[in-house]
Amino acid sequence: MGAFSTLSVFSLAEALRESRNEKTIAIVRDASVDVSDILAATADAWHCAGETTLVIGVDEASCDRMKRAGVREAHVLSVESLCLRILDDARVRDITKRDARIIDANEYDVLLEDLKVSGLKPRRLREMTKFFLKSLSEYDNETEGWLVTPEEQLVFALLEENLEARRAVLPCEAASLAYRGLTESDIDIPGLSIVVDDFGALSKSQQRLVLLLADKLIAAGAESGAGLPGQPYPCYEGFSAFANRADRVMRLESETRPEISTRRYETPIEEFAGVKAQVVMLLEEGFAPEDILIAVPHSLWAARIADRL
């Protein structure tokens, strides 16, 4: 692990500016902490400095969030869109024997029907298919002997034959195929400056692809979680592993959540008196008047409360 520091969200932007020459930065945050605006500003600063910068979103919703957060200059792509752009290269297609096309729901249903020629019972076939999908997301299929039984070997061979016949790609294998296409072809891999939020929500194969493409990388996220919709195979262990070898690790302090209490009043008069009592109590506890805010529904309400203070 490189340099380590614990920061508040408010000091993160300055810390990133001071670390602009670091090649790998991990920002460890709670799942509830949003640093989109800071990451957006950092990405644009890199772009304006002449770096080929890419902001990668876990999904399209994440990309939209980064654009709303202020990304103006840098390119923003979902990880699936990134994979498809790579898979669309003719040199990659020659290696993968697939087109840059994610299989649609109808095709997938037909594919599952085709697998029934294996003669396996439906429940066993469903379990085996789930195992294949998770394994593909973790590129286990690149390890010799990953399939143990003759049944597994038969069904997986049928699965691959069907996908190659359709020249389509399963979502869980897109990153592995893109990685294979880049590493087995003569494509010159550009060194990109990449910013990724929710890095742990990416699958293991997606993380590997990002690391291959990145000459410079900021990866932010939580160290655990349930993943995000549309990302069924998160790899939080991969984020922890990245943080362990990053040049700089910035761990954000947990946000202190305010204590919330509610009171019900029967009449406006009771409410005004109750608000006054709360303000008096806070002043007695040492709060400065300028640190106390009273939210009201309209100006008339404000005037009546002010009369009582």
Side-chain angles (χ1 to χ4, degrees):
M1 182 183 291
F4 178 89
S5 55
T6 300
L7 308 168
S8 70
V9 174
F10 305 105
S11 59
L12 176 60
E14 180 60 28
L16 288 174
R17 284 192 291 270
E18 293 174 352
S19 304
R20 59 186 173 272
N21 294 325
E22 303 285 3
K23 289 292 187 180
T24 52
I25 298 174
I27 301 173
V28 183
R29 58 167 178 75
D30 285 349
S32 61
V33 177
D34 185 8
V35 294
S36 301
D37 55 340
I38 299 172
L39 296 179
T42 301
D44 275 353
W46 284 358
H47 177 86
C48 293
E51 300 178 26
T52 304
T53 307
L54 177 62
V55 178
I56 298 177
V58 174
D59 51 22
E60 293 299 336
S62 298
C63 292
D64 291 342
R65 187 179 76 247
M66 292 300 296
K67 291 174 183 176
R68 290 195 303 271
V71 176
R72 297 289 180 266
E73 305 296 336
H75 294 294
V76 182
L77 279 177
S78 70
V79 67
E80 184 174 284
S81 296
L82 172 64
C83 293
L84 291 176
R85 289 197 179 194
I86 296 170
L87 292 171
D88 199 35
D89 189 293
R91 293 165 293 181
V92 173
R93 293 199 304 271
D94 287 343
I95 291 170
T96 63
K97 310 303 180 188
R98 313 279 189 90
D99 293 333
R101 185 175 69 83
I102 298 295
I103 193 169
D104 64 36
N106 290 332
E107 285 181 299
Y108 184 70
D109 289 341
V110 173
L111 183 149
L112 294 180
E113 286 295 319
D114 291 344
L115 295 183
K116 290 181 180 178
V117 301
S118 63
L120 294 180
K121 293 181 179 180
R123 181 177 178 181
R124 172 60 176 150
L125 194 57
R126 285 194 301 271
E127 292 173 348
M128 194 176 291
T129 304
K130 289 180 181 179
F131 163 69
F132 291 155
L133 298 181
K134 188 173 190 303
S135 297
L136 288 171
S137 78
E138 298 176 349
Y139 52 90
D140 289 339
N141 57 313
E142 298 176 14
T143 302
E144 186 176 351
W146 75 286
L147 296 174
V148 179
T149 69
E151 285 180 342
E152 291 175 345
Q153 295 168 4
L154 169 64
V155 177
F156 189 73
L158 289 171
L159 178 65
E160 284 196 309
E161 288 174 8
N162 271 272
L163 290 168
E164 288 180 7
R166 291 179 170 84
R167 294 192 66 85
V169 177
L170 293 169
C172 61
E173 65 172 346
S176 288
L177 291 174
Y179 182 93
R180 178 185 164 201
L182 289 174
T183 56
E184 294 183 12
S185 69
D186 59 355
I187 296 176
D188 184 20
I189 301 174
L192 302 176
S193 296
I194 296 178
V195 174
V196 188
D197 197 10
D198 288 316
F199 190 79
L202 297 178
S203 70
K204 185 177 178 180
S205 58
Q206 290 168 341
Q207 292 174 357
R208 180 178 66 161
L209 178 64
V210 170
L211 294 171
L212 175 69
L213 294 172
D215 179 60
K216 187 175 180 180
L217 174 62
I218 292 178
E223 293 181 295
S224 62
L228 297 176
Q231 286 288 339
Y233 309 111
C235 184
Y236 290 98
E237 298 86 352
F239 178 54
S240 296
F242 171 76
N244 284 337
R245 62 178 181 271
D247 296 330
R248 180 82 186 270
V249 180
M250 302 178 183
R251 183 176 293 275
L252 300 185
E253 297 173 338
S254 300
E255 290 185 325
T256 302
R257 298 187 178 277
E259 180 182 345
I260 299 175
S261 62
T262 60
R263 288 174 175 79
R264 180 187 177 97
Y265 300 100
E266 296 298 329
T267 67
I269 300 301
E270 289 182 8
E271 181 178 340
F272 298 150
V275 170
K276 178 180 178 179
Q278 288 296 308
V279 171
V280 170
M281 182 185 71
L282 291 172
L283 292 172
E284 290 175 348
E285 289 179 357
F287 283 86
E290 59 269 23
D291 292 332
I292 302 172
L293 173 66
I294 303 173
V296 295
H298 48 71
S299 58
L300 180 59
W301 213 261
R304 289 183 176 179
I305 290 180
D307 287 342
R308 286 160 174 79
L309 294 178

